[in-house]
Amino acid sequence: MQNIKNNNEQDPKERINNFNEVALGYTPEQAVSEAERCLGCRDASCIQGCPVEIDIPKFIAEVKKENFSKAYQILKEKNNLPAVCGRVCPQETQCEKFCILAKKGNPIAIGSLERFVADWAISHGALEKSEQKFKELERDSAEQSAASSPRFAGEAGPKETQYARRNTKKIAVIGSGPAGLTAAADLSRMGYQVTIFESLHAAGGVLRYGIPEFRLPKRIVDIEIGYIKKIGVNIEVNMVIGKVKTIDELRVDGFKAFFVATGAGLPYFLGIAGENLNGVYSANEFLTRVNLMNAYRFPDYDTPVNIGRKVAVIGAGNVALDSARVSRRLGADEVTIVYRRSEAEMPARLEEIRHAGEEGIKFELLTDPVEISGNESGWVRVMKCLRNRLGEPDSSGRRRPVAIPNSEFDFNCDLVIVAIGQGPNPLLLSTIPALKLNSRGNIEANSDGRTSVPDIFAGGDIVTGAATVIEAMGLGKRAARAIHKYLNNAKR
Ligand code: FAD
Ligand code: SF4
């Protein structure tokens, strides 16, 4: 039996005119039918592919029985953001790649099932029930500890599902993306007083300012963050740590440990002539204007965004594809992804590439821009490009692009969006000289998030460089355990 692909989608002709969600999710019947294909393997290989270690066969077994509420509880034991992950995780390279049925080319659609269960929970009030359970367990724990000798939660190694009595130790999490949110939620469940400091005016990191509404509705981000707040995490926005307050000042304020999860928000540029012309954006600025500042609703909102008739987006990762699809929705006549390698090396999720193709995005592959020229008013007019062929694989394992001599050609465009990657923002890091960085400026940390400074832990893109939501969450989870261990061993 073939897996049930999530074909409930908005028609491409309609969706290029709106920002509503493209993928609409399984119906209950489809979810149960897909769950019935799962073999419930004893040593389930799919779990190995999940950085937050969800018990995948267990939650799918509950979907089979139509016990969606129980399935949700199982998901939530390990994953603080299931409605987000069910939408944006590249499952084809993670859990689904490891599913035993993938060997026959037909893995269980784990991501679609995760999304179905999380959406079902949201629409059936299961989030409120989880919160209620948290409060009951917290109260029971407080009563128990009042009756017995004082005990710090989980000294023998707490399960994340065990809730602990509140204690007075304060932990600061810097950055509210998936890494910070995950670590904060897990630490709060362990009983700590956790504050997230976020530099922007709203929490969520890339989930809010990067990934567009049609892939990840802000309503979903708000609901998941709302739950994290309800279980006790305090979030302070407009707090640029390193500027408004330093780590040293936070130490004076009583914070005993820090989790730095400031992401990779500094855009890379091509370093070619003409990048300072009007009409050249970094993808970061372009998407932030649209997603965070609501530029797509200008003039109802204050922030405008320029949109050309012919848009060139440089790069082929998720960021590039999101920029291209946003441009299309904002009314560009022609949008082209310009990428230096071939389709096989494109880093974006397969679903995004398919969706972009359906929406009429063009692909100019094996092509490298070498210069951008403008008109007399300083606006982009044309991009000079070179053709490439593929050479030997480079350190990333992907075949290296090699320029073909004398292959120059002109590509006419009036907007260029550069989406070739992002690096760490040095603002906070420059205020902590003892923190060891690698040659790319990322924090050096071990797999548990330990850094060269004992009370500072780090995880997510600030450590790995630009990666994925679930990898950031996995690091947040491991760092939460390591912080707990550190605070219990520390003589303070
Ligand atoms: P971020 O999400 O970047 O969050 C860091 C937060 O820290 C930000 O809110 C930032 O404002 C804040 N911050 C920075 N400096 C400070 C400071 N000094 N003080 C206080 N706060 C600070 N991954 C996927 O798995 N699937 C996808 O489909 C996908 N699509 C993407 C699309 C786009 C447009 C982008 C940009 C990325 C995408 N990614 C995707 C990658 C994924 O979003 C990131 O890997 C992930 O968000 C990293 O999480 P993080 O918590 O490390 O950092
Ligand atoms: Fe089900 Fe595939 Fe995991 Fe086996 S490996 S339990 S079939 S999802």
Side-chain angles (χ1 to χ4, degrees):
M1 193 168 41
Q2 275 297 309
N3 68 354
I4 299 176
K5 278 286 157 218
N6 196 345
N7 290 330
N8 306 336
E9 290 174 351
Q10 256 203 91
D11 187 311
K13 284 196 209 80
E14 279 171 26
R15 71 187 192 227
I16 56 168
N17 298 312
N18 67 52
F19 275 75
N20 298 337
E21 196 166 9
V22 170
L24 302 175
Y26 277 159
T27 61
E29 295 71 32
Q30 286 174 320
V32 172
S33 180
E34 179 61 6
E36 279 169 350
R37 290 199 314 117
C38 174
L39 306 175
C41 310
R42 187 175 296 211
D43 290 319
S45 49
C46 52
I47 301 177
Q48 290 165 30
C50 175
V52 296
E53 303 153 15
I54 294 173
D55 193 334
I56 294 168
K58 201 168 160 197
F59 104 80
I60 294 181
E62 297 302 331
V63 177
K64 252 187 232 182
K65 291 187 254 170
E66 296 186 43
N67 195 351
F68 305 136
S69 171
K70 185 76 203 295
Y72 179 69
Q73 276 173 27
I74 295 165
L75 277 179
K76 206 68 180 167
E77 277 172 13
K78 297 285 178 157
N79 188 340
N80 292 302
L81 308 168
V84 168
C85 292
R87 285 171 165 81
V88 303
C89 277
Q91 289 96 5
E92 69 265 20
T93 59
Q94 292 172 328
C95 51
E96 292 179 14
K97 181 177 165 190
F98 288 84
C99 169
I100 190 100
L101 299 176
K103 290 191 181 130
K104 293 186 177 159
N106 199 14
I108 299 293
I110 301 167
S112 299
L113 288 173
E114 182 179 29
R115 174 189 165 155
F116 167 78
V117 170
D119 284 1
W120 182 93
I122 288 170
S123 60
H124 288 77
L127 283 175
E128 286 73 21
K129 282 182 205 147
S130 303
E131 186 202 339
Q132 184 58 32
K133 186 179 170 211
F134 169 76
K135 285 189 177 143
E136 281 166 16
L137 286 163
E138 193 182 34
R139 197 192 50 226
D140 292 352
S141 173
E143 282 167 9
Q144 268 172 26
S145 51
S148 60
S149 59
R151 179 184 66 87
F152 185 73
E155 253 147 22
K159 275 192 185 169
E160 288 126 43
T161 47
Q162 287 176 342
Y163 301 101
R165 153 175 91 78
R166 295 275 115 184
N167 72 68
T168 52
K169 283 187 180 158
K170 295 202 311 182
I171 299 171
V173 171
I174 328 289
S176 67
L181 290 170
T182 300
D186 282 6
L187 287 162
S188 180
R189 286 205 187 90
M190 291 176 199
Y192 295 99
Q193 290 185 36
V194 186
T195 299
I196 299 182
F197 295 100
E198 167 57 50
S199 57
L200 297 174
H201 66 260
V206 169
L207 307 179
R208 187 173 302 277
Y209 77 77
I211 304 181
E213 181 74 19
F214 54 83
R215 280 215 294 131
L216 178 60
K218 300 299 160 265
R219 184 182 74 87
I220 296 293
V221 179
D222 288 340
I223 289 170
E224 301 265 49
I225 293 177
Y227 174 77
I228 289 171
K229 282 187 190 165
K230 281 179 187 164
I231 64 167
V233 174
N234 175 34
I235 303 185
E236 290 194 25
V237 294
N238 296 317
M239 286 294 285
V240 187
I241 301 303
K243 203 167 178 189
V244 179
K245 270 195 181 229
T246 61
I247 294 272
D248 275 343
E249 286 169 327
L250 291 175
R251 284 191 184 108
V252 172
D253 290 347
F255 288 94
K256 300 292 183 209
F258 302 87
F259 180 58
V260 178
T262 46
L266 196 71
Y268 293 141
F269 282 91
L270 293 154
I272 60 175
E275 271 186 298
N276 54 353
L277 287 166
N278 293 323
V280 181
Y281 277 113
S282 71
N284 195 298
E285 182 190 348
F286 180 75
L287 290 172
T288 302
R289 278 176 180 264
V290 176
N291 296 326
L292 184 71
M293 319 297 280
N294 291 303
Y296 68 101
R297 298 201 207 147
F298 182 80
D300 294 341
Y301 285 79
D302 289 341
T303 307
V305 66
N306 290 318
I307 193 73
R309 306 229 68 81
K310 269 196 95 177
V311 179
V313 180
I314 321 296
N318 288 320
V319 185
L321 280 259
D322 282 342
S323 305
R325 297 175 68 199
V326 164
S327 305
R328 186 84 175 107
R329 282 162 175 74
L330 288 175
D333 291 339
E334 196 178 299
V335 184
T336 307
I337 292 280
V338 179
Y339 180 48
R340 61 196 184 130
R341 305 185 205 236
S342 76
E343 186 173 347
E345 291 81 29
M346 285 170 65
R349 291 178 69 213
L350 292 178
E351 189 179 62
E352 308 318 321
I353 298 170
R354 173 172 66 82
H355 282 159
E358 289 168 1
E359 291 167 12
I361 308 294
K362 298 187 167 177
F363 291 85
E364 193 73 64
L365 302 176
L366 290 166
T367 301
D368 243 336
V370 288
E371 186 183 336
I372 308 170
S373 314
N375 61 19
E376 53 292 343
S377 322
W379 282 89
V380 170
R381 196 185 55 80
V382 69
M383 203 165 62
K384 191 169 282 178
C385 299
L386 271 182
R387 294 283 182 208
N388 290 332
R389 62 174 176 77
L390 288 179
E392 293 302 308
D394 62 16
S395 59
S396 72
R398 294 174 302 164
R399 292 182 67 191
R400 188 190 302 272
V402 180
I404 300 174
N406 305 319
S407 62
E408 269 180 20
F409 70 102
D410 281 349
F411 184 92
N412 290 327
C413 54
D414 49 13
L415 196 92
V416 175
I417 302 174
V418 182
I420 57 165
Q422 302 94 237
N425 188 322
L427 191 144
L428 169 64
L429 309 183
S430 64
T431 66
I432 322 169
L435 198 59
K436 262 199 191 158
L437 308 181
N438 67 17
S439 57
R440 296 177 69 92
N442 294 103
I443 299 176
E444 270 189 16
N446 74 2
S447 59
D448 287 339
R450 285 177 192 275
T451 72
S452 53
V453 180
D455 64 349
I456 300 183
F457 296 74
D461 283 3
I462 187 65
V463 170
T464 55
T468 63
V469 168
I470 196 72
E471 285 172 88
M473 291 175 66
L475 286 167
K477 216 167 220 338
R478 291 204 294 277
R481 287 184 204 136
I483 290 172
H484 174 67
K485 215 166 162 189
Y486 163 75
L487 287 176
N488 279 301
N489 292 337
K491 305 237 179 304
R492 45 180 69 224

